Amino acid sequence: MKSWANSGLGRDLHLDLAAPAGGRTSGVRAALVSALRESIRSGRLVAGTTLPPSRALALDLGVARNTVAEAYSELVAEGWLTARQGSGTRVADRARETAHRAQTRSASAPRPAWSLLPGSPDVAEFPRAAWMASARRALTAAPHDAFGPGDPRGRPELRRAVAEYLARARGVRTDPDRIVVSASSGHGLWLLARAVQGPVAVEGYGLHFHRELLGDAGAVTVPLHLDAHGAQPPDATGTRLSAALLTPAHQFPTGGPLHPSRRTAFVEWARTTGGIVIEDDYDGEFRYDRQPVGALQGLAPEQVAYLGTVSKTLSPAIRVGWMVLPEHVIDDVLAVKGVYERWVSATDQLTLADFIERGAFDRHVRRMRTLYRRRRDTLVETLAARSPHVHVTGIAAGLHAVLELPAGTEAATVGRAAGLGLAVEGLRTFRHPDGPADRPDGLVVGYSTPSSARFAATLDALCRALPTP
Ligand SMILES: Cc1ncc(COP(=O)(O)O)c(C=O)c1O
C-alpha cells in the first residue's frame, strides 16, 4: 500500500500507513483509520481540511473503494470527520479542538487581553480592498519575467514608485538606481551593518531589536548620549565607527526630532570620519501638529543611508522595506544580500508599486494620521482627567507616547499592568546597557496597537495600572 495519494482525481494526501497484517481488507481499513486519526490528533490535518474523494484515495492507495468509504464512515461515527452531501468529507471542528488542546496544554502563559506595546499599526485598519485591487491590477499587467528570478535590487516598478514617493513626501534625494528593496528596515539595517563592518553608534535609548540585529551582524554597538536636542554626535577622534544609527524624524522611543544643528553635526561627523549615518525613518509620515520633518538624507545623500518600511504605514506582515544608499555602499550591500536573500516577493513588490502610484498609499496614510491623532488626543485627555500627575511627552509625532512616572514606580507599574492583562513596556527596557540611565521612569505607550473597538477599554486598563499620586 502506498503512502502518497496524489492522483489527478483528488487532492494530495500524505498518510503514515503501517503495513496491514497479511493484506486483509480489514487490516487495510484499520491501518487507514489509524493513520487518519493520528494525522488529525497531531494537528497535521486541521479542522476543515477536505479529504480526497474515496474513489480517488482508493485509486492512489491501490485499495478497494469500499475500504476507504468504510474507513471514512468509521471516523465520521467517531466524530473525527464530517461528511456532507456536496461538500465532501472534512476534518471536523471538534477534532481541531481536541488536537489544539493537546498542542497547547503545555504552552506558555495566556496572551494579555490588552496591548499598548509600541511597534504596531492598528492592523484592523489594513486597507484590504485597495490592496486587493492593486494586487489584481499589478499582477494582470506584470510582464512574464516578473515571475522569474529577479533583480536583487528589487522590482524596477517599485523602485520607481518609492523614489517618486520619497522625494515628494519625505524630501529624500534619490533616483531608482540608489534604491535596494529589503524585507523590512530591520533587514536593511542588518545588510548595511554587514556591508560596512565595524562598530556602530546607536542612540542611548533605542530599539533593543535593532541592537540585537547589529550584534548578530557582528557589529559592536556604542551608545550616544541623548539630550534635549537628540543624540550627540560621536567624538570624531574617538573609536573608529563605521556608522551611526539614528531616528532623526522622531527619536525612538523618547519622541523628539533631532535638532537642526545636530543634523548638520552628524553629516559633518560622517564627512570627516568616512562613516555613514543610517537614518531609520520608521514613522516619519505621522506628524500631527505641523509639517513632517524631512529626511536627513536630503542634506547629504552620500553620507546618509535611508531606511524605510511599510511596517508602520501598512502592516509589519507585508515584508517590504527599502534602502536609499550612498553610491559607494550599493555593491557591498548587494554582495551581502548574496544568493539567500536576493529577493523579496515580487508579487508584493508589484502590488505595493501600484498601491503607491495610484495614490492609495497616500490616502491610507492620511486616513491613519487622522485616526492616530484622535487617539493621541484621547490619550492625553484621558490622562489629564484620570492621572493628572503623569506627564505625557513625545506626542507631536509617531504612534507612541512616553508617560513620565514618579521616580521608582516604573517596574511596579509594568507589573500592575500585566496583572490587569495589559502589555506595556517601561522606558528602561530601551536603554543601551552601556549607556547612562538618565531618563525618568516611564512607560512607552503604543496607542496605535489596539483596534478602535478596544481602544477605550485598553486606556481604562492603563489608567488603572498607573501609580496613584
Ligand atoms: C524604531 C523602529 N524602527 C523600525 C521599525 C520597523 O521595523 P521593520 O521594518 O523592521 O518592521 C520599528 C518597529 O517597531 C521601530 O520601532
Side-chain angles (χ1 to χ4, degrees):
M1 196 161 53
K2 292 181 282 183
S3 290
W4 269 106
N6 60 356
S7 79
L9 286 173
R11 334 173 103 228
D12 290 359
L13 179 68
H14 174 80
L15 290 173
D16 291 321
L17 286 171
R24 284 177 293 110
T25 305
S26 60
V28 173
R29 192 187 63 224
L32 189 53
V33 166
S34 130
L36 281 166
R37 199 190 283 123
E38 198 37 49
S39 306
I40 298 168
R41 203 198 319 263
S42 69
R44 184 168 67 80
L45 292 183
V46 299
T49 303
T50 306
L51 297 183
S54 55
R55 187 161 70 95
L57 187 57
L59 260 179
D60 284 339
L61 298 176
V63 302
R65 179 178 177 183
N66 263 356
T67 306
V68 176
E70 283 167 20
Y72 278 4
S73 301
E74 197 171 324
L75 290 166
V76 169
E78 288 178 13
W80 294 99
L81 300 178
T82 58
R84 208 166 294 141
Q85 199 79 43
S87 67
T89 305
R90 292 168 183 259
V91 176
D93 273 351
R94 194 168 65 80
R96 174 182 50 189
E97 281 166 26
T98 318
H100 184 68
R101 261 202 307 277
Q103 266 174 7
T104 53
R105 205 162 292 141
S106 61
S108 49
R111 278 162 60 118
W114 321 106
S115 175
L116 286 169
L117 294 177
S120 176
D122 178 350
V123 292
E125 297 291 336
F126 183 76
R128 296 176 193 235
W131 186 259
M132 279 193 291
S134 281
R136 172 177 286 274
R137 258 192 317 263
L139 300 198
T140 307
H144 292 320
D145 76 11
F147 305 102
D151 184 333
R153 289 172 303 170
R155 287 293 309 172
E157 296 89 339
L158 180 61
R159 287 188 284 122
R160 276 198 300 273
V162 165
E164 184 278 328
Y165 168 74
L166 291 178
R168 170 170 59 76
R170 302 293 305 120
V172 169
R173 279 176 24 207
T174 187
D175 58 55
D177 287 344
R178 278 171 172 251
I179 294 181
V180 174
V181 173
S182 61
S184 64
S185 46
H187 180 218
L189 176 63
W190 185 87
L191 292 170
L192 262 169
R194 292 281 307 272
V196 298
Q197 295 188 358
V200 175
V202 296
E203 292 159 321
Y205 284 72
L207 195 63
H208 24 62
F209 175 59
H210 280 175
R211 293 195 294 264
E212 278 165 30
L213 276 178
L214 289 167
D216 186 50
V220 171
T221 57
V222 180
L224 295 173
H225 187 63
L226 286 176
D227 61 23
H229 287 177
Q232 293 176 354
D235 176 0
T237 59
T239 316
R240 154 104 179 88
L241 296 163
S242 62
L245 170 64
L246 300 176
T247 46
H250 184 227
Q251 204 283 324
F252 187 88
T254 60
L258 187 66
H259 192 272
S261 64
R262 292 284 165 81
R263 289 161 72 97
T264 46
F266 270 100
V267 168
E268 205 38 50
W269 164 81
R271 285 207 175 104
T272 7
T273 65
I276 59 167
V277 174
I278 303 176
E279 176 172 26
D280 176 14
D281 195 31
Y282 65 108
D283 68 1
E285 283 82 0
F286 297 109
R287 183 149 199 106
Y288 306 121
D289 303 322
R290 46 192 165 90
Q291 277 283 318
V293 178
L296 174 58
Q297 190 271 0
L299 284 184
E302 275 312 309
Q303 275 68 44
V304 181
Y306 173 96
L307 300 179
T309 175
V310 297
S311 288
K312 297 296 194 302
T313 45
L314 278 172
S315 155
I318 305 276
R319 303 307 295 154
V320 182
W322 42 80
M323 295 177 261
V324 182
L325 297 174
E327 199 80 49
H328 67 278
V329 299
I330 296 178
D331 287 345
D332 290 340
V333 166
L334 292 177
V336 174
K337 261 190 142 193
V339 285
Y340 297 113
E341 310 205 23
R342 209 171 271 170
W343 304 299
V344 170
S345 156
T347 52
D348 281 345
Q349 291 189 60
L350 291 166
T351 303
L352 182 58
D354 180 276
F355 196 77
I356 295 172
E357 266 168 8
R358 300 276 174 153
F361 188 77
D362 282 76
R363 277 194 294 281
H364 181 67
V365 165
R366 293 168 82 90
R367 192 170 72 78
M368 296 310 290
R369 199 183 283 142
T370 308
L371 177 80
Y372 294 142
R373 185 198 285 122
R374 244 192 340 257
R375 291 227 188 138
R376 179 207 60 171
D377 293 347
T378 307
L379 171 72
V380 171
E381 286 157 16
T382 306
L383 289 171
R386 290 182 58 179
S387 305
H389 55 293
V390 171
H391 185 216
V392 195
T393 63
I395 55 172
L399 310 180
H400 69 273
V402 176
L403 274 50
E404 286 181 8
L405 301 176
T409 61
E410 183 179 307
T413 307
V414 173
R416 214 164 27 246
L420 292 165
L422 171 69
V424 67
E425 271 180 304
L427 188 55
R428 70 183 51 191
T429 334
F430 298 91
R431 182 174 72 82
H432 190 291
D434 302 333
D438 56 1
R439 295 273 144 180
D441 279 20
L443 292 184
V444 180
V445 168
Y447 51 82
S448 57
T449 301
S451 65
S452 294
R454 295 171 67 81
F455 188 59
T458 308
L459 272 196
D460 178 61
L462 172 68
C463 290
R464 284 188 288 132
L466 289 174
T468 44

